[in-house]
């Protein structure tokens, strides 16, 4: 007799966590649902669809090889699929792990019999809420130190290893000159991959694995080839490497092929070997136990209307360049959009300081931009993107999450990338036909929002700079031309 149906969604693909932790091949049936609603709810990047679908199919096969009975069910929606399976096994309880989005949680509420608390993160939701209750503002740095202490990671008693919590200064170097970036690990397609790719009419890149073994190989490749040099250039953007020293682990972490505890354990074991500089070790750990956990916790901490916030009243439509790299001459933007077209991924700085910055400075509607980010990135779970876009990228939450907007002109991109030299625009200029659109729009953004940020002491320096500009009328005129040109795809 079947005791329970254990529902495994496509983003909880780990055999030791969630509903799988207590699953038994004798008593349980594993159910997975590939729903039409999920596949067609948005114009998803085909690399993303391929990755999710192929990873889920591989996972189902993996469980079958371990002796589980797996129903890989096709249905119009997840709910419809689960109801059909419940009818087939009327005596069995339907068990699910807490879902990764509010919408899916609501959809499943009425049909799931038992919900298992999620253990796909390092921070149980009640632990974060306890921490939040003790703090007036939820600054990531303070949460991160709490995590380091609580999880005893890179600690020397009560002090951080290396004598500092933060090595940002060492980890924000400009791209190095005459440097050879190691090639990223390539992942070859197998029969399942090819079948899914054919169904989608998609030619996958070799950037992503779709199996547990591939994800572990990626983890090992990062730890042996890139970890020691990860830190210094983690914010750099270069034209001759799409991956630099980044781990490329977020897609696997976000669908469960890797668990953060496994990644943390392997990284700390590598640190124990002694040749990973503390700045690199700390920079990686900060992403894994700090940012990733913080963003997930903030998603659940906020109400469901958080994603609808539009504190700066930004109403402009999405620019054509987001979907067409040829719709701009801005080398940074077109290069990054092309990279996304190819493999549905760029690292955190192009996302934040180029794409989100562009959306912020151009007054693009936050919800339209959020939907685009969700569609285009391979690792763009709802819990990742809502806080990252609404709170961080376009400052639409009025500063609840970040005390100041991540607005920057061309000078930042010029310092941190190799994009500007071949670009027809000049990052130093804010007016004139060859002025960098980022530089012009940065000052125009501050000008348009001066009143909003007037009481924010962290913006005092920028606003003082604005007041010193002698050519503000010309900047405003040029900004109007740039905004119109970007909207027409001619800048
Ligand atoms: Fe981007 Fe401006 Fe640099 Fe061109 S000059 S690459 S638009 S930052």
């Amino acid at each position: 007799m079947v005791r329970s149906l254990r529902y495994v969604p496509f983003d909880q693909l780990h055999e030791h966590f969630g509903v799988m932790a207590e699953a038994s091949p004798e008593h349980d049936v594993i159910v997975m649902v590939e729903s039409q609603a999920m596949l067609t709810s948005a114009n998803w990047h085909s690399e993303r669809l391929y990755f999710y679908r192929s990873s889920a199919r591989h996972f189902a096969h993996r469980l079958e090889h371990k002796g589980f009975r797996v129903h890989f069910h096709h249905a119009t929606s997840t709910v419809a699929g689960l109801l059909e399976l419940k009818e087939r096994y009327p005596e069995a309880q339907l068990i699910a792990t807490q879902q990764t989005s509010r919408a899916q949680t609501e959809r499943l509420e009425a049909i799931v019999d038992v919900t298992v608390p999620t253990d796909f993160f390092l921070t149980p939701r009640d632990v974060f809420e306890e921490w939040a209750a003790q703090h007036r503002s939820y600054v990531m740095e303070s949460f991160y130190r709490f995590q380091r202490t609580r999880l005893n990671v890179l600690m020397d008693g009560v002090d951080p290893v290396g004598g500092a919590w933060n090595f940002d200064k060492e980890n924000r170097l400009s791209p190095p000159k005459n440097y050879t970036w190691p090639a990223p690990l390539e992942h070859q397609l197998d029969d399942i991959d090819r079948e899914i790719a054919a169904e989608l009419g998609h030619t996958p890149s070799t950037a992503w694995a779709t199996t547990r073994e591939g994800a572990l190989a990626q983890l090992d490749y990062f730890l042996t080839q890139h970890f020691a040099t990860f830190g210094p250039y983690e914010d750099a953007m270069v034209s001759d490497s799409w991956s630099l020293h980044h781990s490329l682990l977020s897609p696997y972490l976000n669908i469960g092929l890797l668990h953060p505890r496994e990644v943390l354990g392997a990284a700390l074991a590598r640190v124990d070997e002694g040749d990973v500089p503390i700045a690199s070790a700390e920079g990686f750990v900060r992403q894994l136990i700090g940012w990733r956990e913080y963003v997930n916790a903030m998603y659940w901490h906020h109400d469901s209307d958080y994603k609808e916030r539009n504190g700066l009243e930004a109403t402009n439509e999405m620019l054509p360049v987001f979907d067409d790299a040829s719709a701009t001459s801005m080398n940074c933007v077109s290069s990054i959009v092309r990279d996304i077209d190819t493999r549905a991924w760029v690292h955190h700085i192009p996302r934040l300081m180029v794409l989100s910055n562009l959306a912020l400075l151009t007054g693009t509607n936050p919800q339209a931009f959020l939907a685009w980010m969700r569609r285009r990135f391979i690792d763009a779970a709802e819990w990742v993107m809502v806080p990252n876009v609404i709170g961080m990228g376009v400052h639409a939450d009025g500063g609840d999450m970040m005390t100041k907007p991540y607005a920057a002109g061309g000078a930042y991109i010029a310092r941190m990338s190799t994009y500007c030299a071949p670009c027809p625009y000049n990052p130093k200029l804010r007016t004139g036909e060859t002025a960098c659109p980022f530089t012009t729009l940065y000052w125009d953004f501050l000008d348009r929002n001066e009143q909003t940020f007037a009481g924010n002491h962290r913006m005092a320096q920028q606003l003082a700079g604005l007041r010193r500009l002698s050519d503000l009328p010309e900047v405003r005129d040029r900004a109007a031309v740039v905004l119109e040109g970007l909207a027409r795809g001619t800048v």
Side-chain angles (χ1 to χ4, degrees):
M1 162 167 155
V2 174
R3 184 180 64 183
S4 62
L5 300 176
R6 292 182 178 257
Y7 170 52
V8 175
F10 285 18
D11 56 3
Q12 295 179 343
L13 307 179
H14 201 299
E15 64 195 274
H16 300 309
F17 292 91
V19 293
M20 292 308 303
E22 309 253 303
S24 121
E26 292 86 57
H27 302 297
D28 303 322
V29 168
I30 310 303
V31 296
M32 300 177 76
V33 181
E34 188 170 285
S35 92
Q36 270 311 307
M38 178 175 75
L39 302 180
T40 58
S41 58
N43 182 18
W44 301 107
H45 195 310
S46 49
E47 183 88 344
R48 179 190 157 101
L49 274 183
Y50 157 80
F51 175 69
Y52 270 77
R53 289 184 63 194
S54 190
S55 300
R57 284 272 291 277
H58 280 99
F59 187 70
H61 280 281
R62 182 183 182 84
L63 295 183
E64 279 168 352
H65 281 144
K66 304 230 159 189
F68 282 100
R69 194 170 356 151
V70 180
H71 273 293
F72 196 94
H73 202 58
H74 292 85
T76 51
S77 71
T78 303
V79 169
L82 290 174
L83 286 174
E84 283 159 21
L85 290 163
K86 273 184 96 163
E87 262 180 41
R88 217 179 286 182
Y89 298 93
E91 77 287 359
Q93 278 193 317
L94 177 60
I95 305 181
T97 312
Q98 283 175 324
Q99 300 298 296
T100 60
S101 76
R102 287 181 180 281
Q104 195 68 342
T105 302
E106 280 166 24
R107 280 185 211 115
L108 297 196
E109 222 156 40
I111 61 163
V112 168
D113 301 306
V114 178
T115 301
V116 176
T118 183
D119 53 2
F120 281 89
F121 290 85
L122 300 168
T123 317
R125 291 181 194 169
D126 56 343
V127 169
F128 181 84
E129 289 309 323
E130 242 173 70
W131 173 85
Q134 292 161 11
H135 291 78
R136 283 229 310 263
S137 66
Y138 312 131
V139 178
M140 198 314 266
E141 184 66 29
S142 148
F143 172 72
Y144 168 62
R145 294 180 190 190
F146 165 74
Q147 292 285 82
R148 286 273 296 275
T149 307
R150 180 176 77 85
L151 300 169
N152 193 23
V153 173
L154 299 180
M155 294 300 290
D156 189 0
V158 293
D159 298 317
V161 168
W165 293 101
N166 188 319
F167 293 85
D168 278 359
K169 220 166 146 220
E170 287 91 323
N171 286 348
R172 285 185 180 153
L173 301 190
S174 301
K177 297 218 162 48
N178 305 319
Y179 189 81
T180 305
W181 299 96
L185 184 63
E186 294 197 15
H187 299 276
Q188 302 309 321
L189 275 57
D190 65 10
D191 287 347
I192 294 175
D193 292 326
R194 278 188 283 274
E195 197 183 317
I196 301 285
E199 278 174 34
L200 289 167
H202 173 62
T203 307
S205 75
T206 52
W208 310 112
T210 53
T211 61
R212 166 84 172 159
E213 289 74 17
L216 286 170
Q218 183 64 46
L219 172 60
D220 184 61
Y221 191 75
F222 168 66
L223 294 177
T224 54
Q225 306 295 316
H226 292 283
F227 190 19
T229 39
F230 165 74
Y233 304 121
E234 66 172 305
D235 284 5
M237 300 174 275
V238 296
S239 307
D240 58 340
S241 171
W242 64 269
S243 51
L244 297 91
H245 288 304
H246 283 270
S247 71
L248 311 182
L249 296 177
S250 58
Y252 311 116
L253 284 162
N254 291 2
I255 65 166
L257 284 183
L258 293 177
H259 191 278
R261 198 175 301 150
E262 298 172 318
V263 175
L264 179 64
L268 295 178
R270 179 81 183 80
V271 170
D272 283 345
E273 288 173 21
D275 60 344
V276 178
I278 183 62
S280 281
E282 190 282 322
F284 182 70
V285 158
R286 170 177 293 266
Q287 301 291 333
L288 187 65
I289 72 167
W291 278 112
R292 185 171 189 275
E293 297 286 316
Y294 173 75
V295 161
N296 179 59
M298 290 302 277
Y299 173 76
W300 291 102
H301 180 75
H302 285 122
D303 295 335
S304 55
D305 60 1
Y306 182 80
K307 70 188 273 194
E308 304 305 329
R309 297 232 203 141
N310 187 357
L312 296 176
E313 296 176 10
T315 54
N316 286 336
E317 288 177 13
M318 288 291 287
L319 301 172
V321 66
F322 285 113
D323 287 311
D324 176 5
S326 69
T328 184
S329 307
M330 299 165 77
N331 188 40
C332 54
V333 177
S334 60
S335 302
I336 289 165
V337 169
R338 254 182 223 112
D339 275 351
I340 298 167
D341 288 347
T342 306
R343 53 189 83 77
W345 187 91
V346 290
H347 72 74
H348 62 287
I349 294 299
R351 294 187 202 202
L352 180 65
M353 300 308 292
V354 179
L355 300 170
S356 301
N357 190 23
L358 184 66
L360 173 71
L361 300 184
T362 54
T364 300
N365 176 260
Q367 284 66 44
F369 183 62
L370 170 62
W372 180 83
M373 293 285 279
R374 287 270 285 120
R375 285 200 307 271
R376 300 301 291 165
F377 284 96
I378 198 159
D379 52 6
E382 161 106 347
W383 61 265
V384 178
M385 279 300 169
V386 170
N388 263 323
V389 170
I390 300 296
M392 203 169 169
V394 295
H395 204 73
D397 69 350
D400 275 4
M401 196 167 133
M402 296 291 144
T403 47
K404 68 173 196 168
Y406 280 85
Y412 174 86
I413 298 169
R415 188 169 68 251
M416 295 308 298
S417 82
T418 56
Y419 291 134
C420 296
C423 182
Y425 297 112
N426 183 341
K428 292 193 177 131
L429 298 181
R430 57 180 173 264
T431 59
E433 292 212 339
T434 57
C436 167
F438 275 112
T439 307
T440 307
L441 293 173
Y442 168 73
W443 293 112
D444 184 62
F445 170 79
L446 290 182
D447 181 40
R448 279 186 279 121
N449 293 286
E450 189 179 1
Q451 287 311 313
T452 309
F453 298 128
N456 184 338
H457 73 277
R458 293 204 64 210
M459 293 297 286
Q461 205 182 342
Q462 283 96 323
L463 293 181
L466 175 73
R467 286 174 204 125
R468 280 197 298 273
L469 293 189
S470 54
D471 56 356
L472 199 50
E474 289 89 339
V475 170
R476 287 178 187 140
D477 289 347
R478 177 66 191 160
V481 172
V482 169
L483 284 171
E484 205 196 312
L486 280 169
R488 281 192 283 112
T490 57
V491 160

